[in-house]
Amino acid sequence: MNRVAERQQITGVKRVGFNRNTNISLVVWAIASAPFCVLFTGENSFTFQTAIPSIALMALAFIFSNGARQYSRHAFVIAIGFIGVIGISEILAVCTNSYMLTNKTLIRALMFIVIVWFYATAVSHNYTSYEIKILMQLIGLSVCASAFLEFKEYLAQGMYFGRVYPVSLRGQMIDANFFALLVVIQVACCFVVALYSNVILKKVIYFALSGIGIISIILTGSRSGLLCVALIMVLGGMVYVVRPVKGKMSSVIFLAGFSVALLIAASKYISDWMFNRFFVNSYNDGSNEFRVTLWIKAVERWPQHPLFGFGVGNYNYYSAQDWGLAETSTTTHGTVTDFLVDFGIIGLGLFLYIVIDIISGLIVSKQYVLLAMLPGIMICSVIVGAERTVALWLYLIVFYVVGHFCKNNSGISLYDVFREKPAT
């Protein structure tokens, strides 16, 4: 078998007009399975270290597929850049304070290298339109796993009308803000599938899943999560409605009906505590003041190691000093500041490079609906320290992949991707 045929067999890449090959690479399964791992997470922020099945699938793809080892320029820059920064920052940290090199530090550094490798492999895969469709649908469907954990705990607490923290099947309580960020990504994927699918039943299912995700976020009491999902619905919906595209009337009608149903349900069933939490209480509270204080202290500490940061996991020692404690596990509670103190201005620059590349891909491919969704997801991912979470990297992977697929296949629209019977 020649190299081209082998690549087509492994990755499903076979372009003859728009006659899609229905093969699905292990790379796709690895990404799509990641949000389902929340069911078994043993970490309160649902970091990648608990998504072992997804990592294993990606490792299998890397071993058995030549395509999974052929990295793009973007992936190469990210992988080499972060691995280099991690190595240099840890060496500098050891030279400054040798006691910082602990098993915990090494494990966290290794885990971030795995995350970077996972991301690089994911964005380098040559996706078919069918794989894009399956990827978005499965991530949207994964909202059922998240909602199950949230509703399970809600019922276990006797339908408690307060902030409900989900608990995994392993008994691990998951932080509401990190959990909400994951659900925001899932709702975004549901929303895309619902808008662009040409099957009425599928529209109904994925709009319903969007509603389930929104209810889950409301139950967590995450104000940033609800704000972000509202931005996704409002901005994404507005851009979708005003864009001159044929055949979108059914989606507009469904979107209007979905919006009305949400408003009616909220007016009838939202508790006084929830209403006050989101719409009455001041956002200038102790929680947000503490978050801002953490950001300020991180920025004040950053000039001590400006280029490469303190190294993965080492900032905790300095944070403890700032708070007058012997030890603390508190991060900076912000993605931008976490990257800044862990990897310095170079590492933060690499993260921003990913975000800018995503935005440029969506602009060039004219995917303005997806572009309108980004502010919602960005706000939530920046507010929480999501540096190592499945949620943050899932968001980066999905929007990069979809944007650059449409950029490289200018003749294919998202309507083509999600239609049930592709043209031959």
Side-chain angles (χ1 to χ4, degrees):
M1 182 180 296
N2 62 38
R3 186 178 182 83
V4 174
E6 179 188 16
R7 182 173 179 80
Q8 288 178 352
Q9 184 185 57
I10 293 173
T11 65
V13 177
K14 184 181 179 182
R15 302 190 184 282
V16 181
F18 192 56
N19 186 14
R20 290 184 287 199
N21 189 312
T22 56
N23 292 339
I24 303 175
S25 169
L26 281 175
V27 171
V28 177
W29 290 117
I31 302 167
S33 64
F36 288 95
C37 294
V38 72
L39 291 170
F40 310 102
T41 185
E43 231 264 346
N44 70 346
S45 56
F46 186 32
T47 60
F48 247 100
Q49 65 194 50
T50 57
I52 302 301
S54 298
I55 295 172
L57 286 174
M58 191 65 85
L60 289 175
F62 183 81
I63 293 171
F64 294 107
S65 170
N66 289 333
R69 297 191 295 272
Q70 297 176 0
Y71 291 126
S72 65
R73 182 182 64 83
H74 170 93
F76 186 79
V77 169
I78 294 301
I80 297 301
F82 270 117
I83 292 173
V85 169
I86 289 172
I88 294 172
S89 63
E90 294 299 345
I91 291 173
L92 292 175
V94 171
C95 292
T96 305
N97 297 297
S98 60
Y99 62 85
M100 285 189 177
L101 189 62
T102 64
N103 290 336
K104 183 178 179 180
T105 299
L106 291 175
I107 290 172
R108 287 190 62 177
L110 178 61
M111 179 48 59
F112 198 84
I113 291 174
V114 171
I115 292 172
V116 170
W117 160 79
F118 190 99
Y119 171 82
T121 307
V123 300
S124 297
H125 176 63
N126 191 4
Y127 291 84
T128 64
S129 57
Y130 184 74
E131 287 179 323
I132 296 292
K133 171 186 173 181
I134 294 299
L135 179 63
M136 296 289 284
Q137 287 180 350
L138 287 176
I139 294 175
L141 187 62
S142 70
V143 78
C144 294
S146 301
F148 167 74
L149 295 181
E150 182 66 20
F151 294 155
K152 174 177 68 68
E153 193 61 22
Y154 176 62
L155 294 175
Q157 295 184 22
M159 301 179 71
Y160 166 68
F161 288 111
R163 195 169 196 186
V164 180
Y165 285 74
V167 178
S168 74
L169 298 180
R170 293 176 57 186
Q172 173 66 57
M173 186 178 72
I174 307 171
D175 182 272
N177 291 316
F178 289 107
F179 182 82
L181 173 56
L182 174 66
V183 180
V184 166
I185 309 300
Q186 294 166 328
V187 170
C189 290
C190 287
F191 196 51
V192 172
V193 176
L195 288 179
Y196 289 99
S197 176
N198 67 333
V199 179
I200 298 300
L201 179 59
K202 190 169 290 185
K203 286 183 179 294
V204 172
I205 291 173
Y206 279 90
F207 269 123
L209 290 174
S210 298
I212 291 172
I214 293 171
I215 295 171
S216 299
I217 291 175
I218 291 174
L219 289 177
T220 65
S222 173
R223 294 175 293 190
S224 60
L226 186 61
L227 170 63
C228 291
V229 82
L231 285 173
I232 287 171
M233 295 291 183
V234 173
L235 296 180
M238 288 176 59
V239 174
Y240 181 84
V241 169
V242 301
R243 290 213 69 197
V245 180
K246 292 182 179 179
K248 69 177 183 181
M249 185 54 64
S250 62
S251 292
V252 173
I253 293 173
F254 269 99
L255 180 59
F258 176 71
S259 302
V260 171
L262 277 180
L263 291 174
I264 293 174
S267 65
K268 285 191 173 183
Y269 299 110
I270 192 168
S271 68
D272 291 339
W273 186 93
M274 288 294 180
F275 183 84
N276 291 334
R277 168 75 179 174
F278 294 113
F279 304 110
V280 177
N281 295 342
S282 173
Y283 277 56
N284 186 27
D285 57 18
S287 174
N288 286 330
E289 288 175 358
F290 177 64
R291 181 183 287 117
V292 172
T293 300
L294 289 172
W295 294 347
I296 292 172
K297 288 184 179 295
V299 173
E300 289 175 346
R301 279 283 188 179
W302 163 68
Q304 296 178 14
H305 296 271
L307 291 180
F308 303 102
F310 295 91
V312 179
N314 294 331
Y315 177 73
N316 290 345
Y317 292 97
Y318 299 94
S319 178
Q321 293 176 15
D322 290 336
W323 292 100
L325 302 173
E327 186 177 358
T328 178
S329 59
T330 301
T331 64
T332 69
H333 214 306
T335 301
V336 171
T337 45
D338 271 359
F339 273 98
L340 190 64
V341 297
D342 279 353
F343 309 109
I345 195 67
I346 295 178
L348 179 59
L350 289 169
F351 172 67
L352 295 178
Y353 168 67
I354 295 175
V355 175
I356 292 170
D357 215 351
I358 290 172
I359 294 172
S360 67
L362 293 175
I363 291 175
V364 172
S365 62
K366 298 181 180 180
Q367 296 303 320
Y368 301 120
V369 174
L370 300 186
L371 192 64
M373 293 182 180
L374 292 186
I377 304 175
M378 283 181 182
I379 291 171
C380 196
S381 60
V382 165
I383 288 176
V384 301
E387 179 188 82
R388 295 177 296 128
T389 63
V390 169
L392 174 67
W393 291 94
L394 189 65
Y395 144 56
L396 296 175
I397 289 169
V398 169
F399 279 80
Y400 181 93
V401 162
V402 176
H404 283 261
F405 170 84
C406 294
K407 176 182 176 181
N408 297 328
N409 298 272
S410 57
I412 301 177
S413 69
L414 286 179
Y415 286 104
D416 295 323
V417 170
F418 288 104
R419 86 180 154 205
E420 200 64 22
K421 294 181 180 180
T424 56

